[in-house]
């Protein structure tokens, strides 16, 4: 076990360490806030704009159809409530005070010195959400958490810990949003997730930042024997720069991971989105699916599968649509086999929508706009369930806009 | 219904249709014969308005209106419907979603779906992983929902096994002729069709009124479809070319 002083030393040494990927941000341009907004008892009492903002990030202010709700604004957890007492949902700091054992999960799978963003998050003692589903607790209603940027030039540092105990099943929707008045800000998010034996974690993240926001999530997921981790990442709105490369370690026999990425790079957006699975146990399986569109921004879709154990099986699919000649799509699939009995494959394709497909629909009477819209909708539909209606209609609106502007 | 006048078409800079004259009267079902590579599919694609088929000469009239320069969705809404030979894999586009958008108000989709055994295909991506017969059934379902007044069918029997053929043939008959047995009534009230057939098999199911033979991008001959088919079966297409040479 690493001592606090060791961790601190590592973090201090890594404060200037650039990330391997993505634009480098000068963190001194941003400030970490303290104190911040008052505790909010009831999210329905928020102003209409903020409530809309929450909805468009998949967060239901009333908490209806949710197991629990947590809101973090800038660097402060301002709301946390549960409708099911069996689920633990609180701020990471509170949880660390409450449970001594939690230190065994804290900075355990995300290294503090991965880069300046992890180092800074450590040194700022970032708060975030702690969610734990006790053994055997199965629920299909999600817990919702929202990370919101509210102050100018803020550096939001977040540290989340999720634990799904043996045979439990947990759904989480995390929505990220930016208040209108925030022009420039950065979000650094550490997430350490643990899926125990036979457990399932269904994690959906909706990024709904804005034009001038830099985003650097750092996520590692540890999956034990027979466990399942499903990740849905959705980013359809403009953002300045997102660079993320969540890594799933399949550490027990038969563990399974699926990671879906659905994103649109608008003009001025730079999305460097990866998914990585490391097969460390026999018979582990994974599917990585990335569907990205550029309407003028830059997309780098990375996918990586590293096979270290026999009978591991994985497939990686990277599809990128280019809807504007100002846009850029780069697909980088990486497959690595370190043992003999392994089956890893990938398919990658980038390009425009095939004319033949648009005309197929037009021959049925659809206009060109409608045809492109239908194809785009299908392209982005990877079957993510349980999103609130408001978000669904928001997604539809975005797709329609993309469709008609690309014709 | 459809009238093609002196049509010449280039694909990729190559002229593949030359001086085509062809007509489908209202309520008629006409068939188009011809060897592989003759330009039959190209003709249907041109009538529908697909890109890549550049009309260098001539006109296409539909219901009396010149549609030569109309985009294909406008042709579709005027009543043209097509089943192409090799439709694309529509990844992500569910059959159900397309039917919802295209079906006419009075169409009973459920009944059609049932009739064509397509229930289990509604939530699948169109054509993705479909067999030959399934593609044809799905195309027919879409056409039936669309209710065109002129059906352009490109080799509806090709790549289809015997069980599927009778189902597909029966459906095409129903779409074109309804329950009408009398030729006079059918031509007055039925829908129109232009069907490409390589083998003539589809004529076991539908009443064909007139036949055309297309060779090397030119209409060589037209007449009674059964007689034409008989000639082709006996002498092949070589005779048609000779015949045309004699005529000119
Ligand atoms: N997209 C294309 N590019 C170039 N040549 C084509 C294309 N499509 C068809 N052709 C050519 O046009 C001719 C007619 O083809 P087609 O209409 O498919 O024939 P048929 O349906 O009678 O078998 C053939 O010589 C074919 O190779
Ligand atoms: Mg053909």
């Amino acid at each position: 076990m690493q001592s606090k002083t060791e961790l601190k030393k590592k973090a201090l040494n890594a404060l200037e360490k650039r990330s391997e990927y993505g634009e480098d941000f000068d963190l001194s341009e941003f400030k970490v806030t303290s104190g911040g907004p008052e505790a909010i008892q009831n999210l329905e009492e928020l102003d209409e704009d903020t409530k809309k903002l929450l909805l468009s990030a998949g967060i239901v202010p009333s908490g209806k159809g949710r197991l629990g709700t947590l809101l973090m604004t800038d660097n402060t957890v301002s709301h946390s409530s549960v409708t099911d007492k069996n689920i633990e949902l609180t701020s990471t700091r509170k949880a660390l005070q409450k449970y001594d054992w939690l230190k065994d999960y804290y900075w355990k799978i995300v290294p503090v010195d991965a880069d300046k963003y992890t180092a800074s998050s450590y040194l700022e003692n970032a708060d975030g959400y702690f969610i734990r589903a006790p053994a055997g607790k199965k629920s299909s209603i999600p817990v919702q958490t929202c990370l919101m940027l509210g102050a100018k030039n803020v550096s939001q540092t977040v540290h989340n810990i999720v634990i799904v105990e043996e045979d439990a099943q947990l759904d989480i929707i995390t929505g990220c949003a930016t208040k209108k008045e925030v022009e420039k800000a950065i979000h650094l998010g550490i997430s350490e997730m643990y899926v125990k034996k036979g457990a399932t974690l269904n994690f959906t993240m909706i990024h709904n930042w804005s034009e001038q926001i830099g985003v650097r999530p750092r996520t590692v997921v540890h999956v034990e024997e027979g466990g399942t981790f499903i990740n849905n990442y959705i980013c359809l709105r403009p953002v300045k720069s997102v660079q993320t490369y969540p890594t799933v370690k399949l550490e027990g026999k038969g563990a399974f991971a699926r990671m879906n990425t659905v994103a649109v790079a608008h003009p001025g957006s730079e999305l460097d989105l990866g998914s990585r699975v490391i097969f460390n146990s026999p018979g582990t399986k994974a599917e990585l699916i990335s569907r990205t569109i550029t309407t003028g921004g830059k997309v780098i879709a990375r996918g990586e599968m590293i096979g270290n154990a026999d009978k591991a099986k994985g497939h990686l699919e990277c599809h990128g649509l280019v809807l504007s000649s100002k846009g850029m799509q780069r697909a980088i699939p990486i497959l690595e086999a370190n043992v003999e009995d392994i089956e890893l494959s990938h398919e990658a394709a980038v390009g425009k929508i095939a004319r033949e497909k648009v005309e197929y629909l037009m021959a049925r009477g659809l206009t060109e706009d409608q045809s492109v819209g239908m194809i785009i909708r299908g392209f982005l539909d990877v079957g993510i369930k349980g999103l609130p209606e408001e978000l669904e209609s928001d997604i539809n609106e975005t797709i329609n806009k993309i469709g008609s502007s690309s014709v | 219904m459809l009238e093609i006048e002196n049509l010449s078409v280039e694909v990729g800079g190559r002229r593949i249709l030359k001086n085509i004259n062809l007509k489908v009267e209202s309520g008629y079902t006409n068939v188009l014969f011809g060897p592989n590579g003759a330009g039959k599919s190209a003709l249907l694609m041109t009538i529908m308005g697909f890109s890549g088929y550049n009309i260098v000469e001539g006109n296409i009239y539909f219901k009396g209106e010149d549609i030569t320069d109309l985009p294909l969705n406008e042709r579709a809404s005027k009543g043209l419907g097509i089943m192409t030979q090799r439709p694309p894999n529509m990844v992500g586009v569910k059959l159900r979603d397309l039917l919802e958008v295209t079906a006419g108000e009075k169409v009973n989709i459920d009944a059609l779906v049932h009739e064509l055994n397509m229930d289990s295909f509604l939530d699948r991506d169109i054509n993705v992983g479909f067999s030959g017969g399934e593609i044809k059934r799905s195309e027919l379902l879409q056409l039936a929902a669309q209710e065109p007044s002129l059906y352009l069918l490109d080799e509806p029997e090709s790549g289809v096994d015997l069980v599927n053929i009778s189902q597909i043939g029966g459906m095409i008959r129903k779409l074109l002729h309804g329950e009408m047995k009398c030729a006079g009534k059918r031509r007055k009230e039925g829908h129109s069709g232009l069907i490409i057939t390589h083998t003539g098999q589809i004529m076991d199911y539908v009443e064909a009124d007139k036949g055309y033979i297309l060779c090397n991008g030119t209409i060589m001959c037209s007449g009674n479809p059964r007689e034409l088919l008989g000639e082709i079966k006996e002498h092949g297409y070589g005779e048609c070319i000779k015949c045309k040479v004699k005529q000119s």
Side-chain angles (χ1 to χ4, degrees):
Chain A
M1 214 213 112
Q2 305 177 88
S3 71
K4 267 193 173 166
T5 35
E6 268 174 79
L7 283 175
K8 189 167 178 188
K9 206 169 123 197
K10 276 187 177 173
L12 284 169
N13 283 336
L15 261 182
E16 298 299 320
K17 187 175 169 187
R18 281 169 166 249
S19 170
E20 194 177 349
Y21 305 117
E23 172 191 348
D24 185 55
F25 283 97
D26 180 357
L27 292 178
S28 68
E29 288 176 18
F30 304 90
K31 57 181 192 301
V32 175
T33 54
S34 62
E38 305 270 300
I40 304 159
Q41 290 308 320
N42 182 351
L43 296 192
E44 284 200 284
E45 281 159 20
L46 289 166
D47 60 274
E48 289 304 314
D49 282 355
T50 309
K51 279 198 279 189
K52 259 198 205 135
L53 199 60
L54 292 180
L55 276 169
S56 68
I59 305 301
V60 187
S62 70
K64 266 205 196 94
R66 299 290 190 248
L67 275 188
T69 302
L70 182 142
L71 171 66
M72 179 164 173
T73 309
D74 298 330
N75 291 285
T76 308
V77 174
S78 51
H79 174 91
S80 153
S81 61
V82 288
T83 56
D84 184 334
K85 294 271 176 286
N86 286 313
I87 292 290
E88 283 188 72
L89 171 67
T90 183
S91 79
T92 302
R93 280 185 199 160
K94 275 191 189 153
L96 281 165
Q97 279 165 12
K98 188 169 169 192
Y99 298 121
D100 192 43
W101 52 260
L102 192 55
K103 61 182 190 306
D104 295 335
Y105 296 82
Y106 182 69
W107 291 108
K108 272 293 129 110
I109 47 179
V110 174
V112 290
D113 56 355
D115 55 32
K116 56 161 61 164
Y117 309 115
T118 55
S120 160
S121 300
Y122 176 81
L123 294 170
E124 295 296 346
N125 184 25
D127 205 353
Y129 55 78
F130 166 77
I131 307 175
R132 181 173 166 271
K137 168 76 187 171
K138 286 188 170 40
S139 53
S140 49
I141 305 176
V143 171
Q144 59 178 2
T145 60
C146 179
L147 306 171
M148 188 154 60
L149 294 173
K152 280 180 192 165
N153 290 322
V154 70
S155 164
Q156 179 180 54
T157 56
V158 178
H159 192 150
N160 308 314
I161 300 176
V162 174
I163 303 171
V164 190
E165 300 285 0
E166 285 190 15
D167 296 318
Q169 183 186 328
L170 178 67
D171 281 30
I172 300 174
I173 292 182
T174 291
C176 300
T178 308
K179 286 197 173 178
K180 256 208 259 24
E181 51 275 22
V182 182
E183 285 147 23
K184 179 181 155 186
I186 192 164
H187 163 94
L188 313 176
I190 311 300
S191 295
E192 299 184 278
M193 306 194 195
Y194 301 84
V195 180
K196 302 279 183 79
K197 253 187 178 171
T200 297
L201 173 58
N202 204 326
F203 185 84
T204 298
M205 170 162 322
I206 296 122
H207 272 184
N208 214 343
W209 306 104
S210 65
E211 282 83 351
Q212 291 307 318
I213 310 298
V215 184
R216 295 292 181 265
R218 299 292 180 256
T219 301
V220 177
V221 185
H222 178 107
V223 188
E224 292 182 5
E225 185 178 332
T228 298
F229 173 68
I230 296 171
N231 188 67
N232 298 309
Y233 175 73
I234 306 171
C235 178
L236 303 179
R237 290 291 185 79
V239 59
K240 181 171 196 276
S241 163
V242 180
Q243 186 273 313
T244 180
Y245 213 147
T247 298
V248 180
K249 297 179 174 172
L250 300 175
E251 300 285 2
K253 234 161 100 184
F256 170 75
R258 174 183 295 133
M259 302 174 82
N260 297 316
T261 299
V262 172
V264 177
H266 298 265
S269 293
E270 196 174 314
L271 307 178
D272 187 329
L273 310 173
S275 301
R276 185 188 287 120
V277 173
I278 306 175
F279 303 80
N280 282 336
S281 262
T284 46
K285 291 189 173 58
E287 291 167 13
L288 308 184
I289 296 173
S290 165
R291 302 269 177 87
T292 56
I293 291 178
T294 170
T295 61
K298 199 169 152 182
V299 180
I300 303 174
R302 301 178 197 274
E304 187 173 352
M305 301 198 291
I306 303 170
N308 296 328
D310 279 340
K311 301 247 178 323
K313 195 173 166 182
H315 185 68
L316 194 161
E317 189 195 302
C318 256
H319 285 237
L321 277 185
V322 183
L323 299 184
S324 155
S325 51
K326 293 195 186 78
M328 192 278 267
Q329 283 271 10
R330 183 185 295 153
I332 310 180
I334 301 172
L335 307 180
E336 180 180 320
N338 295 311
V339 289
E340 190 189 348
D341 186 6
I342 225 156
E343 210 182 311
L344 303 178
S345 59
H346 79 77
E347 57 179 287
V350 297
K352 61 177 184 187
I353 299 178
R355 187 69 205 160
E356 188 194 18
K357 294 185 182 175
V358 177
E359 291 190 349
Y360 179 80
L361 298 178
M362 288 178 75
R364 299 281 180 247
L366 275 67
T367 64
E368 190 165 0
D369 267 25
Q370 286 175 315
S371 306
V372 170
M374 192 170 246
I375 292 167
I376 291 177
R377 192 167 301 119
F379 179 79
L380 294 180
D381 180 11
V382 291
I384 299 170
K385 299 220 164 59
L387 302 178
E389 250 173 63
E390 288 82 357
L391 175 61
E392 294 273 10
S393 65
D394 223 54
I395 292 175
N396 272 332
E397 198 185 301
T398 309
I399 288 169
N400 290 340
K401 257 189 233 154
I402 295 168
S404 50
S405 66
S406 75
V407 169
Chain B
M1 180 65 49
L2 178 76
E3 209 166 339
I4 296 174
E5 268 180 21
N6 200 30
L7 186 76
S8 293
V9 173
E10 279 184 6
V11 175
R14 220 180 96 215
R15 186 160 301 204
I16 54 172
L17 294 173
K18 294 161 217 127
N19 308 103
I20 304 279
N21 289 287
L22 180 148
K23 209 169 161 177
V24 182
E25 290 87 349
S26 178
Y28 275 54
T29 295
N30 293 356
V31 289
L32 185 61
F33 302 108
N36 280 328
K40 304 182 297 296
S41 295
L43 178 56
L44 246 58
M45 299 296 272
T46 307
I47 297 171
M48 193 67 222
F50 282 91
S51 61
Y53 300 86
N54 300 319
I55 298 177
V56 289
E57 212 188 327
N59 293 82
I60 305 170
Y61 298 93
F62 182 59
K63 296 179 179 167
E65 190 187 337
D66 188 343
I67 60 160
T68 316
D69 298 316
L70 281 190
L72 66 176
N73 58 308
E74 288 180 31
R75 298 184 199 206
S77 46
K78 288 192 188 301
L80 272 176
I82 192 167
M83 172 203 274
T84 60
Q85 212 170 354
R86 265 173 246 94
N89 282 348
M90 300 298 292
V91 176
V93 180
K94 307 270 181 268
L95 185 54
R96 183 193 301 279
D97 295 342
L98 181 57
L99 290 174
E100 264 171 28
V101 184
T102 57
E105 273 167 35
K106 280 176 254 147
V107 178
N108 184 346
I109 295 269
D110 293 341
L112 287 171
V113 168
H114 200 67
E115 195 173 348
L116 285 161
N117 294 339
M118 291 303 286
D119 307 73
S120 57
F121 291 82
L122 286 177
D123 292 308
R124 283 180 57 177
D125 293 0
I126 299 169
N127 301 327
V128 179
F130 288 18
S131 74
E134 288 161 358
I135 288 182
K136 304 288 181 196
R137 268 153 54 206
S138 143
E139 291 290 296
L140 274 184
L141 172 60
Q142 294 176 49
L143 276 179
Q146 192 185 337
E147 294 188 296
S149 32
L150 174 63
Y151 289 80
L152 305 169
L153 308 176
D154 196 345
E155 300 199 27
E157 71 273 67
S158 78
V160 177
D161 61 36
L162 282 174
V163 181
N164 272 299
I165 283 230
S166 69
Q167 191 176 25
I168 287 165
M171 189 66 185
I172 293 176
R173 179 189 177 86
K174 198 172 150 188
L175 290 174
L176 288 169
H177 310 332
E179 304 297 331
M180 291 170 274
K181 297 241 162 53
C182 153
K185 188 172 159 78
R186 172 166 67 74
R187 287 176 191 166
K188 227 192 209 144
E189 295 169 21
H191 289 121
S192 320
L194 179 59
I195 307 180
I196 296 177
T197 177
H198 196 57
T199 59
Q201 226 175 343
I202 193 67
M203 287 161 65
D204 297 342
Y205 300 92
V206 300
E207 307 296 333
D209 296 292
K210 194 173 175 185
Y212 288 89
I213 296 179
L214 187 74
C215 282
N216 293 328
T218 325
I219 300 283
M220 294 287 178
C221 190
S222 64
N224 180 307
R226 296 201 172 272
E227 283 173 19
L228 290 180
L229 185 61
E231 283 295 314
I232 296 163
K233 280 195 170 150
E234 206 166 317
H235 305 293
Y237 289 105
E239 286 300 313
C240 299
I241 296 168
K242 277 186 218 153
C243 173
K244 177 85 180 180
V245 172
K246 256 187 269 166
Q247 280 175 12
S248 53

